[in-house]
Amino acid sequence: MAKEVSYGDVLQRSNQYSQELETEKMSLSMGPSHPSTHGVLRLQLELDGEVVTKCDPVVGYLHRGDEKIAENMTYNQFVPYTDRLDYLAPLASNVAYAIAVERLADLEVPPRCQAIRVLISEMARVSAHLLGLGAFAMDTGAFTVFLYTFTEREKLYTLFEELTGARFTTSYTRIGGVARDLPEGWLKKVEKFCDEFLPVLDDVEKLLTRNRIWMDRTSEVGVISKEDALAYGLTGPNLRASGVPLDLRKDKPYCGYENYDFDVPVGTMGDCHDRYLLRMEEMRQSVRIIRQACANMPDGLWYADEAKKIFAPPKDKIMNRMEELIQNFMVVTQGPQMPSGEVYFEAENPKGALGFFVVSKGGGVPYRLKIRGPSFCNLSVLPKMAVGNLVSDLVTILGSLDFVMGECDR
Amino acid sequence: MSQEDFLKELQERHPELQKRDSLDWPAFNVPAEQLTKVAKSLLRVFKFDLLTDVTAVDWNDQSPRFTVFHHLYSTKLHAYLRLAVDCENDENPEVPTVSSLWPAADWHERETYDMFGIKFTDHPDMRRILMWEEYPYFPLRKDFPLAGHETEIPGLDQTEKPAEGDDVKVISAPMMGGPFTAPHRKDMSKNEPRAKDQSWSEQQPKPKS
């Protein structure tokens, strides 16, 4: 006859073996190919049961030595590499890099070029936030949102393709201008996209914002205090969600952002839910900027015509004029000629402040180019904030931080 | 406090700061031994609360060879500031850490150490961050070739232990195409014209110019 096992039995047995049943901490390697790490991030975790007691992010799996490469090529040749920094918003990285190098030459681009750059930066921001939000929601189990956001992102990519010729790696800017003018009728399509996009954003909001499961998964999870956010060098939406109203588009306006009317949303709690709400609002503000840019697109040249040693003139001019041909030859072979000096420029990119520190000794090749990837700094807070959370909450936190390893590892 | 007032006050308080040529933001040269003091007052008195970047430049054949750059931003003044710290020792460059003041400096300084071999004294965790721990070179130094040096493959990345005497080597360099390409058959200098003038290695020493 089988012996009846009761609760008391188990308790008695566990007491009997209590010396042998000591718990110990488990070390777990999460990533580099874990779906929630959005790329190749590895977290070396130490767990007590399901609670994280130590978190050591291991980065560098996508390190390509972009800074070394930059020292060995001309300024324009590096533009395609900037696509691969924040590869979810390549247009914004292109713009940031171009402005940084133009600051070196103290070159002001014409109003049309500035407006184009603002327009594409904001479109890139919408597309990056759509992906970030879709992936974030999918990580926490809300799969439908992902389908909504990716449909909209697809429309944006079609617009990018029409503008730049590529969907993903756009390489649209040049030092002193952009690669080509806007196609005819393109602005109308952008405006149409804005009209269709806002109702979809409302739908997404209905799916998530007051959703009980979403609230439980995100609110009061992964709180970053204002002080911590500043101390760890967070920038962009992650910093603003913690209540610091720092937006470089307002604080240090570049590219004519001071002429646009938009608000900077700021969070109060600094939890995952705040970071989600903030990105939703940022998309709405970006649509406002896009609409203003479309409505007030200035006429004129889309490159700095007077910068003969920096910008290679458009093809139709090269083919029938001698001076332009020489100019093109010089810029392409020698690179845009820059004065010597040191310049540091940060642009407000979708993930945060993307900085370029350019050290030039003159000529067409940078002596040193340092890239300050916002995702790198945003991840550095993980060892502090991950401790005390459940492993399942870690997935939410990673989704809400919205990092991209391309610019973290460079 | 306006930007001019702040610069004046900063220089009065710290006469050891020397103005540095800059094309954009105010920049100062700071002696290495004064860095901690200057950084403390920048954070506490002048409210430069955001350390956005720490990096270094290798001046190659000059001395001092390495200069460490700090970029600070103040959310109160809305101003950037650049600090440049020369490393006195060219062979074993060292600079005091600022990671106790701005925790953000922790990873930036680790990256600078990883790429240039500049040690940050009193840093709590001076490990490599982008390259693997056993990697013997500092890739962003000017004497490191674009074509890379041959090194042992990191132990962690080997799923099977190589047979005795079968040494597994890897050339980790920007031009090598990353982990998803098959091992190359030719020298990088033959495949990639850009690496041609930089193809020196241990077997083939750098040509004296």
PDB file of all heavy atoms in Angstrom, chain A residues 361-384:
ATOM      1  N   LYS A 361      42.822  68.033 -38.344  1.00  0.00           N
ATOM      2  CA  LYS A 361      44.098  68.719 -38.553  1.00  0.00           C
ATOM      3  C   LYS A 361      44.111  69.334 -39.949  1.00  0.00           C
ATOM      4  O   LYS A 361      45.147  69.495 -40.560  1.00  0.00           O
ATOM      5  CB  LYS A 361      45.254  67.733 -38.391  1.00  0.00           C
ATOM      6  CG  LYS A 361      45.538  67.348 -36.951  1.00  0.00           C
ATOM      7  CD  LYS A 361      46.832  66.594 -36.828  1.00  0.00           C
ATOM      8  CE  LYS A 361      47.301  66.551 -35.390  1.00  0.00           C
ATOM      9  NZ  LYS A 361      48.572  65.830 -35.264  1.00  0.00           N
ATOM     10  N   GLY A 362      42.929  69.638 -40.455  1.00  0.00           N
ATOM     11  CA  GLY A 362      42.793  70.169 -41.804  1.00  0.00           C
ATOM     12  C   GLY A 362      42.681  69.039 -42.814  1.00  0.00           C
ATOM     13  O   GLY A 362      42.971  67.881 -42.511  1.00  0.00           O
ATOM     14  N   GLY A 363      42.223  69.353 -44.024  1.00  0.00           N
ATOM     15  CA  GLY A 363      42.128  68.341 -45.063  1.00  0.00           C
ATOM     16  C   GLY A 363      40.793  67.628 -45.053  1.00  0.00           C
ATOM     17  O   GLY A 363      39.848  68.038 -44.380  1.00  0.00           O
ATOM     18  N   GLY A 364      40.713  66.544 -45.816  1.00  0.00           N
ATOM     19  CA  GLY A 364      39.438  65.892 -46.042  1.00  0.00           C
ATOM     20  C   GLY A 364      39.168  64.681 -45.172  1.00  0.00           C
ATOM     21  O   GLY A 364      38.160  64.004 -45.340  1.00  0.00           O
ATOM     22  N   VAL A 365      40.086  64.371 -44.243  1.00  0.00           N
ATOM     23  CA  VAL A 365      39.955  63.180 -43.408  1.00  0.00           C
ATOM     24  C   VAL A 365      40.020  63.609 -41.950  1.00  0.00           C
ATOM     25  O   VAL A 365      40.903  64.379 -41.581  1.00  0.00           O
ATOM     26  CB  VAL A 365      41.091  62.178 -43.714  1.00  0.00           C
ATOM     27  CG1 VAL A 365      40.982  60.962 -42.832  1.00  0.00           C
ATOM     28  CG2 VAL A 365      41.067  61.790 -45.176  1.00  0.00           C
ATOM     29  N   PRO A 366      39.087  63.147 -41.104  1.00  0.00           N
ATOM     30  CA  PRO A 366      39.172  63.530 -39.689  1.00  0.00           C
ATOM     31  C   PRO A 366      40.386  62.885 -39.011  1.00  0.00           C
ATOM     32  O   PRO A 366      40.735  61.748 -39.333  1.00  0.00           O
ATOM     33  CB  PRO A 366      37.868  63.006 -39.089  1.00  0.00           C
ATOM     34  CG  PRO A 366      37.400  61.957 -40.009  1.00  0.00           C
ATOM     35  CD  PRO A 366      37.911  62.305 -41.371  1.00  0.00           C
ATOM     36  N   TYR A 367      41.017  63.630 -38.101  1.00  0.00           N
ATOM     37  CA  TYR A 367      42.127  63.025 -37.349  1.00  0.00           C
ATOM     38  C   TYR A 367      41.562  62.067 -36.321  1.00  0.00           C
ATOM     39  O   TYR A 367      42.133  61.004 -36.083  1.00  0.00           O
ATOM     40  CB  TYR A 367      42.950  64.115 -36.663  1.00  0.00           C
ATOM     41  CG  TYR A 367      44.165  63.569 -35.962  1.00  0.00           C
ATOM     42  CD1 TYR A 367      45.272  63.161 -36.691  1.00  0.00           C
ATOM     43  CD2 TYR A 367      44.205  63.441 -34.575  1.00  0.00           C
ATOM     44  CE1 TYR A 367      46.389  62.636 -36.058  1.00  0.00           C
ATOM     45  CE2 TYR A 367      45.308  62.921 -33.949  1.00  0.00           C
ATOM     46  CZ  TYR A 367      46.402  62.513 -34.689  1.00  0.00           C
ATOM     47  OH  TYR A 367      47.500  61.984 -34.069  1.00  0.00           O
ATOM     48  N   ARG A 368      40.443  62.434 -35.721  1.00  0.00           N
ATOM     49  CA  ARG A 368      39.791  61.552 -34.756  1.00  0.00           C
ATOM     50  C   ARG A 368      38.311  61.876 -34.799  1.00  0.00           C
ATOM     51  O   ARG A 368      37.920  63.050 -34.839  1.00  0.00           O
ATOM     52  CB  ARG A 368      40.345  61.813 -33.354  1.00  0.00           C
ATOM     53  CG  ARG A 368      39.520  61.243 -32.220  1.00  0.00           C
ATOM     54  CD  ARG A 368      40.127  59.987 -31.685  1.00  0.00           C
ATOM     55  NE  ARG A 368      39.426  59.539 -30.474  1.00  0.00           N
ATOM     56  CZ  ARG A 368      38.433  58.653 -30.485  1.00  0.00           C
ATOM     57  NH1 ARG A 368      38.017  58.126 -31.616  1.00  0.00           N
ATOM     58  NH2 ARG A 368      37.850  58.274 -29.355  1.00  0.00           N
ATOM     59  N   LEU A 369      37.489  60.858 -34.796  1.00  0.00           N
ATOM     60  CA  LEU A 369      36.047  61.055 -34.756  1.00  0.00           C
ATOM     61  C   LEU A 369      35.505  60.168 -33.659  1.00  0.00           C
ATOM     62  O   LEU A 369      35.576  58.952 -33.753  1.00  0.00           O
ATOM     63  CB  LEU A 369      35.403  60.688 -36.098  1.00  0.00           C
ATOM     64  CG  LEU A 369      33.894  60.879 -36.139  1.00  0.00           C
ATOM     65  CD1 LEU A 369      33.550  62.313 -36.449  1.00  0.00           C
ATOM     66  CD2 LEU A 369      33.255  59.978 -37.164  1.00  0.00           C
ATOM     67  N   LYS A 370      35.004  60.812 -32.612  1.00  0.00           N
ATOM     68  CA  LYS A 370      34.416  60.026 -31.530  1.00  0.00           C
ATOM     69  C   LYS A 370      32.906  60.092 -31.656  1.00  0.00           C
ATOM     70  O   LYS A 370      32.330  61.160 -31.877  1.00  0.00           O
ATOM     71  CB  LYS A 370      34.876  60.592 -30.190  1.00  0.00           C
ATOM     72  CG  LYS A 370      33.979  60.319 -29.023  1.00  0.00           C
ATOM     73  CD  LYS A 370      34.157  58.945 -28.425  1.00  0.00           C
ATOM     74  CE  LYS A 370      32.999  58.659 -27.474  1.00  0.00           C
ATOM     75  NZ  LYS A 370      33.162  57.502 -26.655  1.00  0.00           N
ATOM     76  N   ILE A 371      32.265  58.953 -31.546  1.00  0.00           N
ATOM     77  CA  ILE A 371      30.806  58.904 -31.620  1.00  0.00           C
ATOM     78  C   ILE A 371      30.281  58.607 -30.226  1.00  0.00           C
ATOM     79  O   ILE A 371      30.669  57.614 -29.616  1.00  0.00           O
ATOM     80  CB  ILE A 371      30.337  57.817 -32.591  1.00  0.00           C
ATOM     81  CG1 ILE A 371      30.962  58.032 -33.960  1.00  0.00           C
ATOM     82  CG2 ILE A 371      28.830  57.800 -32.682  1.00  0.00           C
ATOM     83  CD1 ILE A 371      30.959  56.805 -34.819  1.00  0.00           C
ATOM     84  N   ARG A 372      29.430  59.497 -29.745  1.00  0.00           N
ATOM     85  CA  ARG A 372      28.817  59.279 -28.440  1.00  0.00           C
ATOM     86  C   ARG A 372      27.438  58.677 -28.676  1.00  0.00           C
ATOM     87  O   ARG A 372      26.504  59.380 -29.043  1.00  0.00           O
ATOM     88  CB  ARG A 372      28.716  60.609 -27.706  1.00  0.00           C
ATOM     89  CG  ARG A 372      28.178  60.493 -26.311  1.00  0.00           C
ATOM     90  CD  ARG A 372      26.912  61.269 -26.145  1.00  0.00           C
ATOM     91  NE  ARG A 372      26.542  61.311 -24.746  1.00  0.00           N
ATOM     92  CZ  ARG A 372      25.325  60.962 -24.314  1.00  0.00           C
ATOM     93  NH1 ARG A 372      24.407  60.598 -25.148  1.00  0.00           N
ATOM     94  NH2 ARG A 372      25.046  61.015 -23.039  1.00  0.00           N
ATOM     95  N   GLY A 373      27.325  57.379 -28.541  1.00  0.00           N
ATOM     96  CA  GLY A 373      26.047  56.730 -28.790  1.00  0.00           C
ATOM     97  C   GLY A 373      25.154  56.836 -27.575  1.00  0.00           C
ATOM     98  O   GLY A 373      25.550  56.440 -26.494  1.00  0.00           O
ATOM     99  N   PRO A 374      23.941  57.381 -27.741  1.00  0.00           N
ATOM    100  CA  PRO A 374      23.069  57.510 -26.574  1.00  0.00           C
ATOM    101  C   PRO A 374      22.700  56.165 -25.944  1.00  0.00           C
ATOM    102  O   PRO A 374      22.566  56.077 -24.727  1.00  0.00           O
ATOM    103  CB  PRO A 374      21.833  58.223 -27.126  1.00  0.00           C
ATOM    104  CG  PRO A 374      21.906  58.088 -28.599  1.00  0.00           C
ATOM    105  CD  PRO A 374      23.341  57.965 -28.941  1.00  0.00           C
ATOM    106  N   SER A 375      22.574  55.110 -26.760  1.00  0.00           N
ATOM    107  CA  SER A 375      22.187  53.820 -26.189  1.00  0.00           C
ATOM    108  C   SER A 375      23.259  53.293 -25.241  1.00  0.00           C
ATOM    109  O   SER A 375      22.959  52.622 -24.257  1.00  0.00           O
ATOM    110  CB  SER A 375      21.966  52.798 -27.299  1.00  0.00           C
ATOM    111  OG  SER A 375      20.929  53.211 -28.132  1.00  0.00           O
ATOM    112  N   PHE A 376      24.518  53.593 -25.539  1.00  0.00           N
ATOM    113  CA  PHE A 376      25.624  53.168 -24.678  1.00  0.00           C
ATOM    114  C   PHE A 376      25.438  53.737 -23.275  1.00  0.00           C
ATOM    115  O   PHE A 376      25.522  53.011 -22.282  1.00  0.00           O
ATOM    116  CB  PHE A 376      26.930  53.659 -25.311  1.00  0.00           C
ATOM    117  CG  PHE A 376      28.179  53.247 -24.595  1.00  0.00           C
ATOM    118  CD1 PHE A 376      28.666  51.952 -24.716  1.00  0.00           C
ATOM    119  CD2 PHE A 376      28.882  54.160 -23.825  1.00  0.00           C
ATOM    120  CE1 PHE A 376      29.829  51.585 -24.083  1.00  0.00           C
ATOM    121  CE2 PHE A 376      30.046  53.794 -23.178  1.00  0.00           C
ATOM    122  CZ  PHE A 376      30.523  52.497 -23.301  1.00  0.00           C
ATOM    123  N   CYS A 377      25.137  55.041 -23.207  1.00  0.00           N
ATOM    124  CA  CYS A 377      24.956  55.684 -21.899  1.00  0.00           C
ATOM    125  C   CYS A 377      23.662  55.218 -21.252  1.00  0.00           C
ATOM    126  O   CYS A 377      23.610  54.998 -20.044  1.00  0.00           O
ATOM    127  CB  CYS A 377      24.933  57.190 -22.047  1.00  0.00           C
ATOM    128  SG  CYS A 377      26.315  57.821 -22.958  1.00  0.00           S
ATOM    129  N   ASN A 378      22.599  55.044 -22.055  1.00  0.00           N
ATOM    130  CA  ASN A 378      21.330  54.625 -21.478  1.00  0.00           C
ATOM    131  C   ASN A 378      21.433  53.238 -20.852  1.00  0.00           C
ATOM    132  O   ASN A 378      20.764  52.940 -19.872  1.00  0.00           O
ATOM    133  CB  ASN A 378      20.233  54.628 -22.547  1.00  0.00           C
ATOM    134  CG  ASN A 378      19.852  56.032 -22.982  1.00  0.00           C
ATOM    135  OD1 ASN A 378      20.296  57.006 -22.387  1.00  0.00           O
ATOM    136  ND2 ASN A 378      19.050  56.132 -24.014  1.00  0.00           N
ATOM    137  N   LEU A 379      22.291  52.386 -21.429  1.00  0.00           N
ATOM    138  CA  LEU A 379      22.428  51.038 -20.877  1.00  0.00           C
ATOM    139  C   LEU A 379      23.267  51.034 -19.610  1.00  0.00           C
ATOM    140  O   LEU A 379      23.169  50.111 -18.810  1.00  0.00           O
ATOM    141  CB  LEU A 379      23.059  50.113 -21.913  1.00  0.00           C
ATOM    142  CG  LEU A 379      22.115  49.570 -22.970  1.00  0.00           C
ATOM    143  CD1 LEU A 379      22.877  48.737 -23.967  1.00  0.00           C
ATOM    144  CD2 LEU A 379      21.031  48.726 -22.327  1.00  0.00           C
ATOM    145  N   SER A 380      24.104  52.069 -19.429  1.00  0.00           N
ATOM    146  CA  SER A 380      25.016  52.034 -18.292  1.00  0.00           C
ATOM    147  C   SER A 380      24.270  52.153 -16.968  1.00  0.00           C
ATOM    148  O   SER A 380      24.844  51.908 -15.910  1.00  0.00           O
ATOM    149  CB  SER A 380      26.073  53.145 -18.419  1.00  0.00           C
ATOM    150  OG  SER A 380      25.491  54.395 -18.207  1.00  0.00           O
ATOM    151  N   VAL A 381      23.011  52.498 -17.002  1.00  0.00           N
ATOM    152  CA  VAL A 381      22.243  52.607 -15.757  1.00  0.00           C
ATOM    153  C   VAL A 381      21.726  51.228 -15.312  1.00  0.00           C
ATOM    154  O   VAL A 381      21.317  51.044 -14.182  1.00  0.00           O
ATOM    155  CB  VAL A 381      21.076  53.614 -15.913  1.00  0.00           C
ATOM    156  CG1 VAL A 381      19.938  53.032 -16.716  1.00  0.00           C
ATOM    157  CG2 VAL A 381      20.568  54.099 -14.571  1.00  0.00           C
ATOM    158  N   LEU A 382      21.781  50.245 -16.215  1.00  0.00           N
ATOM    159  CA  LEU A 382      21.204  48.920 -15.904  1.00  0.00           C
ATOM    160  C   LEU A 382      21.748  48.276 -14.621  1.00  0.00           C
ATOM    161  O   LEU A 382      20.960  47.763 -13.836  1.00  0.00           O
ATOM    162  CB  LEU A 382      21.408  47.969 -17.082  1.00  0.00           C
ATOM    163  CG  LEU A 382      20.261  47.852 -18.083  1.00  0.00           C
ATOM    164  CD1 LEU A 382      20.617  46.841 -19.152  1.00  0.00           C
ATOM    165  CD2 LEU A 382      18.973  47.445 -17.414  1.00  0.00           C
ATOM    166  N   PRO A 383      23.071  48.267 -14.399  1.00  0.00           N
ATOM    167  CA  PRO A 383      23.558  47.622 -13.170  1.00  0.00           C
ATOM    168  C   PRO A 383      22.898  48.195 -11.932  1.00  0.00           C
ATOM    169  O   PRO A 383      22.735  47.504 -10.926  1.00  0.00           O
ATOM    170  CB  PRO A 383      25.058  47.928 -13.171  1.00  0.00           C
ATOM    171  CG  PRO A 383      25.408  48.209 -14.573  1.00  0.00           C
ATOM    172  CD  PRO A 383      24.178  48.791 -15.204  1.00  0.00           C
ATOM    173  N   LYS A 384      22.525  49.460 -11.979  1.00  0.00           N
ATOM    174  CA  LYS A 384      21.899  50.083 -10.820  1.00  0.00           C
ATOM    175  C   LYS A 384      20.405  49.777 -10.750  1.00  0.00           C
ATOM    176  O   LYS A 384      19.873  49.422  -9.712  1.00  0.00           O
ATOM    177  CB  LYS A 384      22.125  51.594 -10.891  1.00  0.00           C
ATOM    178  CG  LYS A 384      21.302  52.361  -9.919  1.00  0.00           C
ATOM    179  CD  LYS A 384      22.090  53.341  -9.121  1.00  0.00           C
ATOM    180  CE  LYS A 384      21.185  53.915  -8.048  1.00  0.00           C
ATOM    181  NZ  LYS A 384      21.871  54.613  -7.030  1.00  0.00           N
TER     182      LYS A 384
END
